[in-house]
Amino acid sequence: MSNETVRLTASEENELRSRARSRTLPAGEVRRARLLLMLAEGKSYQMIQAELPCDATFIVRWKQRFLKDRLAGLYARHPGRAVEKRTPKMEARILEWTRRRPRDGSTHWSTRKLAEHLGVHHMMVARVWKRARLQPQRIERYMMSDDPDFEQKAADVIGLYVKPPQHAVVFCVDEKTSVQALDRLDPVLPLAPGRAERHGFEYYRHGTLSLYAALNTKTGEVIGSTAPRHTSQEFVAFLADVVASQPRGREIHIIADNFSAHKTKLVQQFLDSHPKVKLHYTPTYSSWLNQVELWFAKVERDVIARGVFTSVTDLKRKLMNYIRRYNETSRPIKWKYTDVSNRISASNSTVTILSQR
């Protein structure tokens, strides 16, 4: 062991004290600065080993390096990991394996699991995925229409949106079934800075109802009604309300889905008795073509999902009040055809929906 005494200049002492107090420097640099300050104060090796803690080899090593190179010798000499270069060949290999199934039975790769399999660093896998815009942990769902007349029906519906008949009104009609009137058993804790609104886990069911809605595609206004069930009788009664809301003799086009209650003899009798009402059905599994579905999603977010309802009557009152307030500032949903050179098909739909808000 070297018996030479450590003496610090004023500038060296200031620098070492600054490093020893730092909360941002690496822990190793802080530890070495404390060691040199203790040596300069004349503390013994036993005292330093107890206070840091460390062993005698650590003390001797850094004391000798400081005596030789002063502050310049207090840097870590770890060789570190060799820098991996992302070559096109390696990137192609990562992308190829990303599209395969892992052999451990899991459904997708993680960066660390794939990196271990390929013998590379997980950050290289992350950078390759980011560049290729791959997110194996995510999944999106879709539903393919099996309607043989998909193109014809879709063109009919989109035509009513893009170029509706003159002197006619177009409504998108559907029902949101089994809306639950849920009452929380525990009080709702309001939101506060740094804390989200909290609801108790337990709830009480007061019952359900169905919400019928007709969205005017020109104005964005909604005609709403509630019913205890969603049968053909309720649907026809709602269609009668829609007809009654319009001037006598006006042509009315109604877009609806293929729900069985929309195609009964009772519905056909209603259409026969109201020749000005035309019913247009969307293709099967194509609810995205019905604009009122966008409005139902908004009602779910704004009223139902976090709502507290003391009864079915309370639920009905709050839904109808929301519809009245909504109609005061309603705006139409904007549709546009992004590429008119492409035909509508079950595998290639080019309609873009622009939300109201």
Coordinates of all heavy atoms in Angstrom, one line a residue, residues 191-248:
L191 N -63.0 13.6 -8.5 CA -61.6 13.8 -9.0 C -61.0 14.9 -8.2 O -61.7 15.9 -7.7 CB -61.6 14.1 -10.5 CG -62.1 15.4 -11.0 CD1 -61.0 16.3 -11.3 CD2 -63.0 15.2 -12.2
A192 N -59.7 14.9 -8.1 CA -58.9 15.9 -7.4 C -57.5 16.0 -8.1 O -57.2 15.1 -8.9 CB -58.7 15.5 -5.9
P193 N -56.8 17.0 -7.9 CA -55.5 17.1 -8.6 C -54.6 15.9 -8.3 O -54.4 15.5 -7.2 CB -54.8 18.4 -7.9 CG -56.0 19.2 -7.5 CD -57.1 18.2 -7.1
G194 N -54.2 15.2 -9.4 CA -53.4 14.0 -9.3 C -54.2 12.7 -9.0 O -53.6 11.7 -8.8
R195 N -55.6 12.8 -9.0 CA -56.4 11.6 -8.6 C -57.6 11.6 -9.5 O -58.3 12.6 -9.6 CB -56.8 11.6 -7.2 CG -57.5 10.4 -6.7 CD -57.9 10.4 -5.3 NE -58.9 11.4 -5.1 CZ -59.4 11.8 -3.9 NH1 -58.8 11.3 -2.8 NH2 -60.3 12.7 -3.7
A196 N -57.9 10.5 -10.1 CA -59.1 10.4 -11.0 C -60.3 10.1 -10.2 O -60.2 9.8 -9.0 CB -58.9 9.2 -12.0
E197 N -61.5 10.4 -10.8 CA -62.7 10.1 -10.1 C -62.8 8.6 -9.8 O -62.4 7.8 -10.7 CB -63.9 10.5 -11.0 CG -65.3 10.2 -10.4 CD -66.4 10.7 -11.3 OE1 -66.4 11.9 -11.6 OE2 -67.2 9.8 -11.7
R198 N -63.3 8.2 -8.6 CA -63.3 6.8 -8.3 C -64.7 6.3 -7.9 O -65.5 7.0 -7.2 CB -62.4 6.6 -7.0 CG -60.9 6.7 -7.4 CD -60.0 6.5 -6.2 NE -60.2 7.5 -5.2 CZ -59.6 7.5 -4.0 NH1 -58.9 6.5 -3.6 NH2 -59.8 8.5 -3.1
H199 N -65.0 5.1 -8.5 CA -66.3 4.5 -8.3 C -66.1 3.2 -7.5 O -65.2 2.5 -7.7 CB -67.0 4.2 -9.6 CG -67.5 5.4 -10.3 ND1 -68.6 5.4 -11.1 CD2 -67.1 6.7 -10.3 CE1 -68.9 6.6 -11.7 NE2 -67.9 7.4 -11.2
G200 N -67.1 2.9 -6.6 CA -67.0 1.7 -5.9 C -67.2 0.5 -6.9 O -67.9 0.6 -7.9
F201 N -66.7 -0.6 -6.5 CA -66.7 -1.8 -7.4 C -68.1 -2.4 -7.4 O -68.6 -2.9 -8.4 CB -65.7 -2.9 -6.9 CG -65.7 -4.1 -7.7 CD1 -65.1 -4.1 -8.9 CD2 -66.4 -5.2 -7.3 CE1 -65.1 -5.3 -9.7 CE2 -66.4 -6.4 -8.1 CZ -65.7 -6.4 -9.3
E202 N -68.8 -2.4 -6.3 CA -70.2 -3.0 -6.2 C -71.2 -2.0 -6.7 O -71.2 -0.8 -6.5 CB -70.5 -3.4 -4.8 CG -69.5 -4.5 -4.3 CD -69.9 -5.0 -2.9 OE1 -70.0 -4.2 -2.0 OE2 -70.1 -6.2 -2.8
Y203 N -72.3 -2.6 -7.3 CA -73.4 -1.8 -7.8 C -74.7 -2.6 -7.7 O -74.7 -3.8 -7.4 CB -73.1 -1.4 -9.3 CG -72.8 -2.6 -10.2 CD1 -73.9 -3.4 -10.7 CD2 -71.5 -3.0 -10.5 CE1 -73.7 -4.5 -11.6 CE2 -71.3 -4.1 -11.3 CZ -72.4 -4.8 -11.8 OH -72.1 -5.9 -12.6
Y204 N -75.8 -1.9 -7.9 CA -77.1 -2.5 -7.9 C -77.8 -2.3 -9.2 O -77.8 -1.1 -9.7 CB -77.9 -1.9 -6.7 CG -79.3 -2.5 -6.6 CD1 -79.5 -3.7 -6.0 CD2 -80.4 -1.8 -7.1 CE1 -80.8 -4.3 -5.9 CE2 -81.7 -2.4 -7.0 CZ -81.8 -3.6 -6.4 OH -83.1 -4.2 -6.3
R205 N -78.4 -3.3 -9.8 CA -79.1 -3.2 -11.0 C -80.6 -2.9 -10.8 O -81.3 -3.6 -10.1 CB -79.0 -4.5 -11.8 CG -77.7 -4.8 -12.4 CD -77.8 -6.0 -13.4 NE -76.5 -6.3 -13.9 CZ -75.7 -7.3 -13.5 NH1 -76.1 -8.0 -12.4 NH2 -74.6 -7.6 -14.1
H206 N -81.0 -1.7 -11.3 CA -82.5 -1.4 -11.2 C -83.3 -1.9 -12.4 O -84.5 -1.8 -12.3 CB -82.6 0.1 -11.1 CG -82.1 0.7 -9.7 ND1 -82.8 0.5 -8.6 CD2 -81.0 1.4 -9.4 CE1 -82.1 1.1 -7.6 NE2 -81.0 1.6 -8.1
G207 N -82.6 -2.3 -13.4 CA -83.3 -2.8 -14.6 C -82.7 -2.3 -15.9 O -81.6 -1.6 -15.8
T208 N -83.3 -2.5 -17.0 CA -82.7 -2.1 -18.3 C -83.8 -1.5 -19.1 O -85.0 -1.6 -18.9 CB -82.1 -3.3 -19.1 OG1 -83.2 -4.2 -19.4 CG2 -81.0 -4.0 -18.3
L209 N -83.4 -0.7 -20.2 CA -84.3 -0.2 -21.2 C -83.5 -0.2 -22.5 O -82.3 -0.3 -22.5 CB -84.9 1.2 -20.8 CG -83.9 2.3 -20.4 CD1 -83.2 2.9 -21.7 CD2 -84.7 3.4 -19.7
S210 N -84.3 0.1 -23.6 CA -83.7 0.2 -24.9 C -83.8 1.7 -25.3 O -84.9 2.3 -25.1 CB -84.4 -0.7 -25.9 OG -84.1 -2.1 -25.6
L211 N -82.8 2.2 -25.9 CA -82.8 3.6 -26.4 C -82.9 3.6 -27.9 O -82.0 3.0 -28.6 CB -81.5 4.3 -26.0 CG -81.3 5.7 -26.5 CD1 -82.4 6.6 -26.1 CD2 -79.9 6.2 -26.1
Y212 N -83.9 4.1 -28.5 CA -84.1 4.3 -29.9 C -83.6 5.7 -30.3 O -83.9 6.6 -29.6 CB -85.5 4.1 -30.3 CG -86.0 2.6 -30.3 CD1 -86.4 2.1 -29.1 CD2 -86.0 1.8 -31.4 CE1 -86.8 0.7 -29.1 CE2 -86.4 0.5 -31.4 CZ -86.8 0.0 -30.2 OH -87.2 -1.3 -30.2
A213 N -82.9 5.8 -31.4 CA -82.4 7.1 -31.9 C -82.5 7.1 -33.4 O -82.2 6.2 -34.1 CB -81.0 7.3 -31.4
A214 N -82.8 8.3 -33.9 CA -82.8 8.6 -35.3 C -82.0 9.9 -35.5 O -82.4 11.0 -35.1 CB -84.3 8.8 -35.8
L215 N -80.9 9.7 -36.2 CA -80.0 10.8 -36.5 C -80.3 11.4 -37.8 O -80.2 10.8 -38.9 CB -78.5 10.3 -36.4 CG -77.5 11.3 -36.8 CD1 -77.3 12.4 -35.7 CD2 -76.1 10.6 -37.0
N216 N -80.6 12.7 -37.8 CA -80.8 13.5 -39.1 C -79.4 13.8 -39.7 O -78.6 14.5 -39.1 CB -81.6 14.8 -38.8 CG -82.0 15.5 -40.1 OD1 -81.3 15.5 -41.1 ND2 -83.2 16.1 -40.0
T217 N -79.1 13.2 -40.8 CA -77.8 13.3 -41.4 C -77.5 14.7 -41.9 O -76.3 15.1 -42.1 CB -77.6 12.3 -42.6 OG1 -78.6 12.6 -43.6 CG2 -77.8 10.9 -42.1
K218 N -78.5 15.5 -42.1 CA -78.3 16.9 -42.6 C -78.0 17.8 -41.5 O -77.1 18.7 -41.6 CB -79.5 17.4 -43.4 CG -79.3 18.7 -44.1 CD -80.5 19.1 -44.9 CE -80.3 20.5 -45.5 NZ -81.5 20.9 -46.4
T219 N -78.7 17.7 -40.4 CA -78.6 18.7 -39.3 C -77.8 18.1 -38.1 O -77.3 18.9 -37.3 CB -80.0 19.1 -38.8 OG1 -80.7 18.0 -38.3 CG2 -80.8 19.7 -40.0
G220 N -77.7 16.8 -38.0 CA -77.1 16.2 -36.9 C -78.0 16.0 -35.7 O -77.6 15.5 -34.6
E221 N -79.3 16.5 -35.8 CA -80.2 16.4 -34.6 C -80.6 15.0 -34.5 O -80.7 14.2 -35.4 CB -81.4 17.3 -34.9 CG -81.1 18.8 -34.8 CD -82.3 19.7 -35.0 OE1 -83.4 19.1 -35.3 OE2 -82.2 20.9 -34.9
V222 N -81.0 14.7 -33.2 CA -81.4 13.3 -32.9 C -82.8 13.3 -32.3 O -83.1 14.1 -31.4 CB -80.4 12.7 -31.8 CG1 -80.9 11.3 -31.4 CG2 -79.0 12.6 -32.4
I223 N -83.6 12.3 -32.8 CA -84.9 12.0 -32.2 C -84.7 10.8 -31.4 O -84.3 9.8 -31.9 CB -86.0 11.8 -33.3 CG1 -86.1 13.1 -34.2 CG2 -87.3 11.5 -32.7 CD1 -87.0 12.9 -35.4
G224 N -85.1 10.9 -30.1 CA -84.8 9.8 -29.2 C -86.1 9.3 -28.5 O -87.0 10.1 -28.3
S225 N -86.1 8.0 -28.1 CA -87.2 7.5 -27.4 C -86.7 6.3 -26.7 O -85.7 5.6 -27.1 CB -88.3 7.1 -28.4 OG -89.4 6.5 -27.7
T226 N -87.3 5.9 -25.6 CA -86.9 4.7 -24.8 C -88.1 3.8 -24.7 O -89.2 4.2 -24.8 CB -86.5 5.1 -23.4 OG1 -87.6 5.8 -22.7 CG2 -85.3 6.0 -23.4
A227 N -87.8 2.5 -24.6 CA -88.8 1.5 -24.5 C -88.2 0.4 -23.6 O -87.0 0.1 -23.5 CB -89.1 0.9 -25.9
P228 N -89.1 -0.3 -22.9 CA -88.7 -1.4 -22.0 C -88.1 -2.6 -22.8 O -87.3 -3.4 -22.2 CB -89.9 -1.8 -21.2 CG -91.1 -1.4 -22.1 CD -90.6 -0.2 -22.8
R229 N -88.5 -2.8 -24.0 CA -88.0 -3.9 -24.8 C -87.6 -3.4 -26.2 O -87.9 -2.2 -26.6 CB -89.1 -5.0 -24.9 CG -89.5 -5.5 -23.6 CD -90.8 -6.4 -23.8 NE -90.5 -7.5 -24.6 CZ -91.5 -8.3 -25.1 NH1 -92.8 -8.0 -24.9 NH2 -91.2 -9.3 -25.9
H230 N -87.0 -4.3 -27.0 CA -86.7 -3.9 -28.4 C -87.4 -4.9 -29.4 O -86.7 -5.7 -30.0 CB -85.2 -3.8 -28.6 CG -84.4 -5.1 -28.2 ND1 -84.2 -5.4 -26.9 CD2 -83.9 -6.0 -29.0 CE1 -83.5 -6.5 -26.9 NE2 -83.3 -6.9 -28.1
T231 N -88.7 -4.8 -29.5 CA -89.4 -5.7 -30.4 C -89.8 -4.9 -31.6 O -89.6 -3.7 -31.8 CB -90.6 -6.2 -29.7 OG1 -91.5 -5.1 -29.4 CG2 -90.3 -7.0 -28.4
S232 N -90.4 -5.6 -32.6 CA -90.9 -5.0 -33.8 C -92.0 -3.9 -33.5 O -92.0 -2.9 -34.2 CB -91.5 -6.0 -34.7 OG -91.8 -5.4 -36.0
Q233 N -92.8 -4.1 -32.5 CA -93.8 -3.1 -32.2 C -93.2 -1.8 -31.7 O -93.6 -0.7 -32.1 CB -94.7 -3.7 -31.0 CG -95.7 -4.8 -31.5 CD -95.0 -6.2 -31.5 OE1 -93.8 -6.3 -31.2 NE2 -95.8 -7.2 -31.8
E234 N -92.2 -1.9 -30.9 CA -91.5 -0.7 -30.4 C -90.8 0.0 -31.6 O -90.8 1.2 -31.7 CB -90.5 -1.0 -29.3 CG -91.0 -1.1 -27.9 CD -91.7 -2.4 -27.7 OE1 -91.6 -3.4 -28.5 OE2 -92.4 -2.6 -26.7
F235 N -90.2 -0.8 -32.5 CA -89.5 -0.2 -33.7 C -90.5 0.5 -34.6 O -90.3 1.7 -35.0 CB -88.8 -1.3 -34.4 CG -88.1 -0.8 -35.7 CD1 -87.0 0.1 -35.5 CD2 -88.5 -1.1 -36.9 CE1 -86.3 0.6 -36.7 CE2 -87.8 -0.7 -38.1 CZ -86.7 0.2 -37.9
V236 N -91.7 -0.1 -34.8 CA -92.7 0.6 -35.6 C -93.2 1.9 -35.0 O -93.4 2.9 -35.6 CB -93.8 -0.4 -36.0 CG1 -95.0 0.3 -36.6 CG2 -93.3 -1.5 -36.9
A237 N -93.4 1.8 -33.6 CA -93.9 3.0 -32.9 C -92.9 4.1 -33.0 O -93.3 5.3 -33.1 CB -94.2 2.6 -31.4
F238 N -91.6 3.8 -33.0 CA -90.6 4.8 -33.1 C -90.6 5.4 -34.5 O -90.4 6.6 -34.7 CB -89.2 4.2 -32.7 CG -88.1 5.3 -32.8 CD1 -88.1 6.3 -31.9 CD2 -87.1 5.2 -33.8 CE1 -87.1 7.3 -32.0 CE2 -86.1 6.1 -33.8 CZ -86.1 7.2 -32.9
L239 N -90.7 4.5 -35.5 CA -90.8 5.0 -36.9 C -92.0 6.0 -37.0 O -91.9 7.0 -37.8 CB -91.0 3.9 -37.9 CG -89.7 2.9 -38.0 CD1 -90.1 1.9 -39.1 CD2 -88.5 3.7 -38.4
A240 N -93.1 5.7 -36.4 CA -94.2 6.6 -36.4 C -93.9 8.0 -35.8 O -94.3 9.0 -36.3 CB -95.4 6.0 -35.7
D241 N -93.1 8.0 -34.7 CA -92.6 9.2 -34.1 C -91.7 10.0 -35.1 O -91.8 11.2 -35.1 CB -91.9 8.9 -32.8 CG -92.8 8.4 -31.7 OD1 -94.0 8.6 -31.8 OD2 -92.2 7.8 -30.8
V242 N -90.9 9.3 -35.8 CA -90.0 10.0 -36.7 C -90.8 10.6 -37.9 O -90.6 11.8 -38.3 CB -89.0 9.0 -37.3 CG1 -88.2 9.6 -38.4 CG2 -88.0 8.4 -36.2
V243 N -91.8 9.9 -38.4 CA -92.7 10.4 -39.5 C -93.5 11.6 -38.9 O -93.6 12.6 -39.6 CB -93.6 9.3 -40.0 CG1 -94.6 9.9 -40.9 CG2 -92.8 8.2 -40.6
A244 N -93.9 11.5 -37.7 CA -94.7 12.6 -37.1 C -93.9 13.9 -36.9 O -94.4 15.0 -36.9 CB -95.4 12.2 -35.8
S245 N -92.6 13.8 -36.8 CA -91.7 14.9 -36.6 C -91.4 15.7 -37.9 O -90.9 16.8 -37.8 CB -90.4 14.5 -36.0 OG -89.6 13.7 -36.9
Q246 N -91.8 15.2 -39.0 CA -91.6 15.8 -40.3 C -92.8 16.4 -40.9 O -93.9 15.9 -40.6 CB -90.9 14.8 -41.3 CG -89.6 14.2 -40.8 CD -88.6 15.3 -40.5 OE1 -88.3 16.1 -41.4 NE2 -88.0 15.3 -39.3
P247 N -92.7 17.4 -41.8 CA -93.9 17.9 -42.5 C -94.6 16.8 -43.2 O -94.0 15.9 -43.8 CB -93.3 19.0 -43.4 CG -92.0 19.3 -42.8 CD -91.5 18.1 -42.1
R248 N -95.9 17.0 -43.3 CA -96.7 16.0 -44.0 C -96.4 15.9 -45.5 O -96.2 16.9 -46.2 CB -98.2 16.4 -43.8 CG -99.2 15.3 -44.3 CD -100.6 15.8 -44.1 NE -101.6 14.7 -44.4 CZ -102.0 13.8 -43.6 NH1 -101.5 13.8 -42.3 NH2 -102.8 12.9 -43.9

